[in-house]
């Protein structure tokens, strides 16, 4: 492994760690009324993994909560990993 490959690998590891510390959150909403049932989610924020984003909703009759958007986080990690692998292959020198 040459110097450029090591730098790419170190940057990729740091980016993956930061993505894990500040993951994407998803706002989930579920309302059940006598006539209607509505549920869904909205991709919204990035926040520190230990402290989820604060809810700013008042007067709701349903369930409103944040949870981690694991699928988006895994997609981001895989994109960084594939980019790192591609750059390492590109920077590979054969002697």
């Amino acid at each position: 492994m040459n110097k450029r490959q090591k730098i790419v690998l170190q940057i990729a590891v740091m980016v993956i760690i930061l993505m894990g510390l500040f993951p994407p959150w998803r706002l989930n909403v579920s309302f059940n009324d006598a006539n209607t049932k509505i549920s869904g989610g909205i991709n919204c924020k990035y926040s520190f993994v230990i402290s989820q984003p604060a809810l700013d909703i008042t007067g709701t009759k349903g369930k409103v909560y944040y949870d981690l958007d694991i699928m988006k986080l895994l997609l981001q990690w895989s994109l960084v990993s594939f980019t790192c692998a591609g750059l390492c292959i590109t920077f590979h020198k054969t002697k």
Side-chain angles (χ1 to χ4, degrees), residues 52-91:
Q52 70 182 25
L55 284 175
D56 216 7
I57 299 173
T58 57
T60 60
K61 296 180 181 180
K63 187 176 181 183
V64 180
Y65 60 95
Y66 282 107
D67 65 349
L68 289 176
D69 194 350
I70 299 296
M71 293 305 294
K72 184 186 259 186
L73 182 62
L74 291 175
L75 176 67
Q76 290 173 342
W77 281 348
S78 63
L79 288 173
V80 170
S81 299
F82 286 129
T83 303
C84 175
L87 287 172
C88 285
I89 291 170
T90 302
F91 292 146

Side-chain angles (χ1 to χ4, degrees), residues 9-93:
L9 188 60
Q10 289 171 352
I11 291 172
V13 168
M14 285 188 279
V15 167
I16 287 174
I17 288 171
L18 284 173
M19 285 179 179
L21 288 174
F22 295 93
W25 291 85
R26 183 172 174 85
L27 177 65
N28 293 303
V29 180
S30 176
F31 293 104
N32 291 324
D33 199 1
N35 298 327
T36 58
K37 179 179 180 182
I38 301 171
S39 64
I42 302 168
N43 297 330
C44 53
K45 294 184 175 187
Y46 290 84
S47 182
F48 190 59
V49 71
I50 296 174
S51 60
Q52 70 182 25
L55 284 175
D56 216 7
I57 299 173
T58 57
T60 60
K61 296 180 181 180
K63 187 176 181 183
V64 180
Y65 60 95
Y66 282 107
D67 65 349
L68 289 176
D69 194 350
I70 299 296
M71 293 305 294
K72 184 186 259 186
L73 182 62
L74 291 175
L75 176 67
Q76 290 173 342
W77 281 348
S78 63
L79 288 173
V80 170
S81 299
F82 286 129
T83 303
C84 175
L87 287 172
C88 285
I89 291 170
T90 302
F91 292 146
H92 180 69
K93 291 182 184 176

